[in-house]
Amino acid sequence: MTTPQTRPRRPQRPQIVLEVIERIQLTAHMVRIVAGGPGIAVVEDAGYTDAYSKMLFAHPETDLTPPYDLAALRAELPTERMPSQRTYTIRRFDLTGGRLWIDFVVHGADGVAGPWADAAQPGDVVVLGGIGGGYAPDPDADWHLLAGDDAALPAIAAALEAMPAQAEGVVLLEVDSAADQLELTAPAGFEIVWLHREGQQAGTTTLLADAVREVEWRSGRVQVFAHGERGAMKSLRPYLTDERGLDRTQLSLSAYWAYGRQEEAFQAEKREAVGQI
């Protein structure tokens, strides 16, 4: 039996090296980076609206040129100087135009990716550790329930744009305040509800989980997309699977982040949990 310590590392996806074309301030706490350049030629859009990439950010005090040989760098650099890895949704693919969008939640100088996006300039390097995904709206679902916090907003916005015109459903989005709301393109049959923390820290409220439980359940087959902070997602899983009886084909539910955890620690905890299972 393998353990989290003995299980072999998954092979790294080939890195995709792009550059910043444009930086757009969407709201006070969200920045869009439009990226492109010659490296876009190897990018493929698999049709997932939750397409994501484990982005790599070089330490500012190193002079590294991508793509990064992470195995070699581990032998050369102390852990704190290694490129940092952060997972972000690809908000939109525009491969005809040779670009893609990535939206970043920014809260001042906190974190790695947010400050990078806040200061990004055209020509800055963008390193994607491959692109994955697993969810797209089911055109045969009778209705849809999409729920998420700031981190899930890009994926939910992309999902709404991909919905059939006749699709119906409910969208629950948790952000800090009305100033953080975005204009969303959605079919007329969707109810969009914004939930405001009003200064409370993300990950410290039950706003999203409570709102999901208060949704009036409709008849027919539902497809659910619920992504956000780990605590909220952990509380929603038994509600959706046990109380509402959803099976795996109807549900995309995952923690995008964990309150009080940097991504390296969060991903390590997720790998350990999978190993125990």
Side-chain angles (χ1 to χ4, degrees):
M1 178 182 296
T2 60
T3 68
Q5 288 74 32
T6 63
R7 187 181 302 106
R9 289 179 180 271
R10 293 180 181 178
Q12 293 283 338
R13 288 190 173 110
Q15 293 172 26
I16 300 168
V17 182
L18 305 175
E19 63 184 44
V20 175
I21 295 175
E22 185 179 8
R23 176 194 176 279
I24 302 169
Q25 190 79 41
L26 298 176
T27 68
H29 296 118
M30 186 164 283
V31 169
R32 172 167 297 155
I33 296 298
V34 181
I40 201 78
V42 301
V43 173
E44 296 181 358
D45 179 2
Y48 297 120
T49 55
D50 69 340
Y52 64 88
S53 179
K54 294 184 179 298
M55 300 181 67
L56 293 167
F57 299 89
H59 190 283
E61 295 180 13
T62 60
D63 186 20
L64 303 178
T65 301
Y68 307 124
D69 185 338
L70 296 179
L73 290 175
R74 287 189 190 98
E76 300 171 4
L77 296 175
T79 301
E80 63 272 15
R81 292 295 185 96
M82 285 288 295
S84 297
Q85 178 178 277
R86 298 291 185 270
T87 306
Y88 276 86
T89 299
I90 307 299
R91 171 62 179 84
R92 178 178 292 174
F93 293 91
D94 175 16
L95 300 185
T96 301
R99 57 188 62 196
L100 53 79
W101 297 356
I102 306 173
D103 293 350
F104 295 79
V105 179
V106 177
H107 290 287
D110 293 339
V112 173
W116 174 86
D118 207 26
Q121 299 291 328
D124 287 354
V125 68
V126 177
V127 184
L128 309 182
I131 297 174
Y135 163 85
D138 179 358
D140 296 323
D142 294 300
W143 66 287
H144 301 262
L145 173 60
L146 299 98
D149 56 26
D150 317 63
L153 179 51
I156 290 175
L160 289 172
E161 292 175 359
M163 292 282 178
Q166 73 278 10
E168 300 179 357
V170 179
V171 181
L172 304 172
L173 288 163
E174 178 196 319
V175 295
D176 184 63
S177 70
D180 296 292
Q181 296 179 194
L182 292 173
E183 290 291 330
L184 299 176
T185 300
F190 272 87
E191 176 189 5
I192 298 176
V193 180
W194 293 92
L195 310 167
H196 299 150
R197 293 187 299 271
E198 300 296 355
Q200 296 182 79
Q201 277 191 293
T204 65
T205 79
T206 61
L207 272 176
L208 186 63
D210 292 345
V212 170
R213 291 185 176 89
E214 292 170 4
V215 168
E216 182 178 351
W217 215 252
R218 309 182 185 193
S219 60
R221 185 176 186 276
V222 64
Q223 184 188 30
V224 175
F225 180 87
H227 289 242
E229 198 277 328
R230 180 177 61 180
M233 297 304 105
K234 186 176 180 179
S235 71
L236 282 176
R237 185 175 293 278
Y239 169 71
L240 295 168
T241 57
D242 299 341
E243 296 185 43
R244 289 299 179 183
L246 271 61
D247 62 46
R248 293 180 64 182
T249 63
Q250 295 174 266
L251 178 62
S252 174
L253 184 148
S254 181
Y256 273 172
W257 64 286
Y259 176 72
R261 299 284 193 279
Q262 290 189 344
E263 177 148 344
E264 288 87 354
F266 174 47
Q267 294 297 339
E269 290 173 3
K270 289 176 70 173
R271 288 193 295 271
E272 182 177 357
V274 169
Q276 291 171 349
I277 293 171

